[in-house]
Amino acid sequence: MTLVVDKFRTLIPPRAKSSPSGWTSFNAPCCGHRGHSVDTRKRGGLRFDNGIVFNCFNCKFTASWQPGRPITNKFKNLCKWLGASDEDINALIFEALKTEAPDYVPTASEHKVEFTDKPLPEGALPIKEWANQSSALLSDLYPVVEYIVGRGFDPAEFYWSPAAGYESRVIIPFFYHGRIVGNTARKVTDGKPKYLSDQHPHFVFNIDAQKEEQQYLFVCEGPFDALAVGGVALLTNDIAEQQARIINSLGHKIIVIPDQDEAGLELIKRAIEYDWAVAFPTWGDDVKDSADAVQKYGRLFVTVDAIKTAQQGEIKLTMALKNLEQKLKRQYNN
């Protein structure tokens, strides 16, 4: 790394948090200087990739520097807001000039976005590969297949294992760049825990299935919901900074399709913070999530409905959120 990066690292707040993907998060120093509310939720993101990239998810301020380029005014302001003195900034400018020399060779980045491989549960195989096994095994597998088909999915897309604790579960592998980097196993009968999961923190499910040419990216809570609409899943009703960066990096129009319950209300609140659009589906009261909606109405209806009912912007979403809260209360009281 260059001396510019080394000097800039000294400006990073001591309570900053680093993620496995290489991002460093801290309270963005820019918001108050740009007429926005002061950030208290660590919405500032910093990354070192042969240079420096800063992103604020609160006021949308960005600044960056790469070797071979001069220090910009926006980058100077970032340094100043982080506490750099005029002397410090002049030193950064001087060091940046050195990188413009013809014989300068930048070093490789020390950070890389990656999720390491994780094994599936012991004995797990694609369900289609169990077809010729003994009848004893098939008797355990049958309820799993019945559950998958009952929810409108193709059993061939899932895995199963006869291992203790997994015989009554459907296994959903998590792929990243074609590799299995985790999984979740959903119980198909009564009992807890509902899910047994082995996953990296803040992973985005079904990211490999997204295409560069697509216009919309549907963001759901659960994996079955994501598979039903061809979108991605947060695997929770919260949105982590790392997940937001992964999703935003795809460059599509983002539409969140929340579950129609209390958990979905919380997801909408988080989507407002990221300025994402949120769909307010016209499903019947008996339909609670995207997977059930697709099974009842079909994928085409559900996705077009999500696009048509999508709202964006804090004012619009706050009003729509209140209406949904009232609707859910009426359903609960009935």
Side-chain angles (χ1 to χ4, degrees), residues 152-173:
F153 295 101
D154 181 358
E157 299 178 0
F158 302 91
Y159 283 63
W160 180 74
S161 169
Y166 287 91
E167 63 269 37
S168 61
R169 296 179 180 275
V170 52
I171 299 171
I172 307 172

Side-chain angles (χ1 to χ4, degrees), residues 22-332:
W23 283 95
T24 299
S25 300
F26 50 88
N27 291 335
C30 45
C31 306
H33 296 280
R34 304 181 68 244
H36 296 260
S37 58
V38 176
D39 176 32
T40 59
R41 297 177 61 88
K42 290 184 168 58
R43 306 300 301 282
L46 190 65
R47 188 176 175 83
F48 299 95
D49 286 321
N50 275 344
I52 304 167
V53 176
F54 175 81
N55 244 330
C56 176
F57 282 82
N58 189 42
C59 72
K60 312 305 179 186
F61 175 81
T62 61
S64 63
W65 174 82
Q66 288 184 337
R69 297 181 182 179
I71 298 291
T72 64
N73 287 331
K74 290 179 70 176
F75 194 81
K76 291 177 188 177
N77 285 335
L78 174 61
C79 295
K80 184 176 180 179
W81 295 333
L82 284 170
S85 65
D86 290 340
E87 184 179 349
D88 293 330
I89 294 174
N90 287 333
L92 287 172
I93 294 172
F94 179 73
E95 294 298 338
L97 288 172
K98 293 181 180 179
T99 70
E100 298 181 39
D103 58 348
Y104 174 78
V105 179
T107 57
S109 171
E110 63 185 61
H111 295 294
K112 184 179 180 181
V113 178
E114 190 59 89
F115 294 100
T116 57
D117 295 359
K118 283 181 175 289
L120 292 175
E122 183 180 358
L125 292 173
I127 286 179
K128 61 184 178 182
E129 295 186 19
W130 290 103
N132 297 321
Q133 300 299 317
S134 67
S135 58
L137 284 176
L138 293 181
S139 64
D140 288 333
L141 177 58
Y142 180 77
V144 175
V145 173
E146 188 176 45
Y147 172 85
I148 296 170
V149 173
R151 297 204 62 176
F153 295 101
D154 181 358
E157 299 178 0
F158 302 91
Y159 283 63
W160 180 74
S161 169
Y166 287 91
E167 63 269 37
S168 61
R169 296 179 180 275
V170 52
I171 299 171
I172 307 172
F174 295 169
F175 289 97
Y176 184 73
H177 293 171
R179 298 177 293 102
I180 294 179
V181 297
N183 74 89
T184 188
R186 206 273 191 202
K187 196 169 181 62
V188 302
T189 57
D190 293 335
K192 294 183 179 181
K194 186 175 182 180
Y195 286 95
L196 291 178
S197 301
D198 181 15
Q199 66 194 64
H200 292 281
H202 312 319
F203 180 72
V204 179
F205 171 76
N206 211 33
I207 203 76
D208 273 16
Q210 307 312 304
K211 308 298 182 183
E212 185 176 351
E213 64 272 14
Q214 71 189 54
Q215 183 176 359
Y216 298 99
L217 176 62
F218 300 111
V219 179
C220 308
E221 294 179 39
F224 282 107
D225 300 323
L227 292 172
V229 298
V232 299
L234 299 163
L235 307 173
T236 176
N237 66 332
D238 195 6
I239 306 170
E241 293 287 350
Q242 177 174 306
Q243 290 177 310
R245 293 185 181 107
I246 292 173
I247 291 171
N248 284 333
S249 71
L250 297 179
H252 306 308
K253 170 68 175 179
I254 300 167
I255 300 179
V256 176
I257 309 180
D259 289 357
Q260 303 298 286
D261 56 18
E262 292 293 330
L265 297 177
E266 292 304 313
L267 178 57
I268 295 172
K269 294 175 185 177
R270 293 291 282 142
I272 292 174
E273 296 179 18
Y274 287 98
D275 195 30
W276 289 354
V278 178
F280 291 85
T282 59
W283 309 335
D285 292 348
D286 59 327
V287 179
K288 299 301 181 184
D289 58 41
S290 299
D292 290 344
V294 169
Q295 189 174 3
K296 182 173 183 178
Y297 305 112
R299 177 187 280 196
L300 180 60
F301 173 87
V302 173
T303 54
V304 172
D305 183 61
I307 295 169
K308 287 184 175 180
T309 64
Q311 301 282 340
Q312 190 169 14
E314 184 174 358
I315 295 177
K316 288 184 178 180
L317 282 176
T318 299
M319 293 178 62
L321 176 62
K322 290 182 179 178
N323 290 335
L324 180 57
E325 287 176 335
Q326 294 173 356
K327 176 184 176 181
L328 293 178
K329 285 181 180 178
R330 289 195 298 269
Q331 292 178 10
Y332 178 78

